[in-house]
Amino acid sequence: MEREEHLKFCKVCENKSFNPQKGIVCRLTGEMADFELECDNFLGDRNQVVSSSEVEVDNSSKSKLSDFLSLFIPANGYFITPIIVDICLLLFLVMALFGVHIIEPNTDSLINWGANFKPLTLDGQYWRLISNVFIHIGILHLVVNMYALLYIGLLLEPFIGRKNFIVSYIVTGLAASVASLWWYDSVISAGASGAIFGLYGVYIALITTNLLEKEFKMKALSSMLFFVAYNLLYGLKGGVDNAAHIGGLISGLVLGYSLYPSIAKPELKVKNSIINYAVIALVLGLVTFTVITTPNFYGKYENLMKSFVKYEEKAMSFYRLPQTSSRPQFLKSIREDGIPNWKNCNEVVMQAEEIEGLPDKLKATIPLLRKYCDFRIKSFELMAGALESGTNNSYLINSYNQKIDLIVRKLQGEPINDSLLVEPQKPAMTNGFPAGALYVVDGKPVDSIDDLFPENIASINVLDPESAMSIYGERGRKGAVLIQLNLNSQFVKPIKP
């Protein structure tokens, strides 16, 4: 008689017990349940019973898993655990072969391979709730999780069976993923630890019942509680998804207690099945409810920003026109692509402003983006006006562009004072330039440019007063006109002291 058939009988025998080291044992013999001939409760054909010593010799490599490689090979009583471990190892290897860093993978790689990320998961990519429990963030993360999974798998899978084990792993993994979504807004989560905490929860629930002998119960319980407490406390240091751990643990406790009747009285199959399925349905129902009701404001904001970038790229097509383009071509690009798409950007920002529950960090970007769009529109309108009428608006256009640059830098995290982001005012003009502005020719300040011929000028840039003063001090209080001459031109007219 095979070991698996022995276990089927033992599960309905009142003399069974559970030993954390040996698995199911017989109270009469103190050995692993193998139905020796002296078992008075055995109802099978005694002629087919294998002796205790034969069972030990035949199954020693499987029951004790003394050979390291056997940890990764499915066997009777230990079937699902090595499969899960092998899947995690294989996925990690494939990710590495495709260029994912094995020590510190970047966020894009993790997202591409199925990590749990709220903006994407709640945007219809629900498969991430389960895919993330099979991928890991670096080799150290993988090794630690696989060690914990092998340990609990050796103890728990022979106890509850392969079907209950895989269901527990999947259901608690889902619960862990959803708990992470509910708690965090923009954290990328991956790894089997949430599901592993779920399996530990199942085991803790079962060993607090009367399924184990008292002498083994306290030792096993203290070991499990130490593992859980240590890892939860370690998670407080940051960089660890404790929400997933807690979600997996709680769902595991619930599932564990629901499995107790089927292990204690397996003969009541119908009743036990109803209890098991009802609890699984309850957990999955809570998972579904949480997914449906959890707001995805960060995802909505990200989607709007993607639209913003697309409109911005279209608006900036003006700057990608060849320098040889005609004035009508430049004007057409501004009127048909530039200004309309900047207005579209402004509408996108207004939609982002209406998102409820947006974090303060994201809220702070909205006024800056509104001002960015407004300044872009006015800059493009000034350029269109200059092209249509031939007027020189370069100073004001440059002033808007300098303000735009400051806004971009502030959005990128630079500490730019808000007083520098005020709308530029049109100054009194002389010869198309700000009255009283400092003239700088080839890097040298000069009094005037009256003797400078237009054909000698290679380029002109205008600085607003704030920028000019930061470079030239008090002399630049009314702005500065930076003139670059052609290579063969000369104009040296120093400023008076």
Side-chain angles (χ1 to χ4, degrees), residues 397-461:
I397 292 171
N398 285 339
S399 295
Y400 274 111
N401 289 339
Q402 288 163 17
K403 300 291 184 181
I404 289 167
D405 180 65
L406 291 174
I407 293 172
V408 171
R409 286 162 56 189
K410 183 160 186 173
L411 286 168
Q412 293 173 342
E414 288 191 38
I416 306 296
N417 196 304
D418 287 339
S419 63
L420 298 177
L421 305 180
V422 296
E423 184 166 357
Q425 301 297 316
K426 186 174 182 179
M429 307 294 285
T430 302
N431 297 324
F433 295 116
L438 173 69
Y439 294 101
V440 180
V441 180
D442 283 346
K444 299 177 181 179
V446 298
D447 277 327
S448 71
I449 56 172
D450 294 341
D451 299 331
L452 183 62
F453 296 101
E455 58 267 23
N456 293 331
I457 297 174
S459 65
I460 298 176
N461 288 296

Side-chain angles (χ1 to χ4, degrees), residues 361-416:
K361 185 177 180 180
L362 295 183
K363 282 183 179 178
T365 65
I366 291 177
L368 290 173
L369 289 172
R370 288 286 297 274
K371 187 169 286 190
Y372 172 82
C373 294
D374 289 341
F375 286 4
R376 282 292 190 188
I377 291 170
K378 291 175 180 178
S379 172
F380 271 54
E381 287 176 343
L382 286 169
M383 287 191 292
L387 287 170
E388 288 175 331
S389 63
T391 57
N392 189 344
N393 290 327
S394 59
Y395 174 80
L396 202 53
I397 292 171
N398 285 339
S399 295
Y400 274 111
N401 289 339
Q402 288 163 17
K403 300 291 184 181
I404 289 167
D405 180 65
L406 291 174
I407 293 172
V408 171
R409 286 162 56 189
K410 183 160 186 173
L411 286 168
Q412 293 173 342
E414 288 191 38
I416 306 296

Side-chain angles (χ1 to χ4, degrees), residues 308-337:
F308 183 96
V309 170
K310 289 180 180 178
Y311 289 131
E312 184 182 38
E313 288 179 352
K314 292 178 181 178
M316 296 293 281
S317 63
F318 165 78
Y319 290 105
R320 295 191 291 271
L321 288 176
Q323 290 297 321
T324 55
S325 299
S326 64
R327 180 176 294 188
Q329 288 175 320
F330 282 120
L331 184 59
K332 180 180 179 181
S333 178
I334 291 174
R335 291 293 188 198
E336 295 183 4
D337 294 325

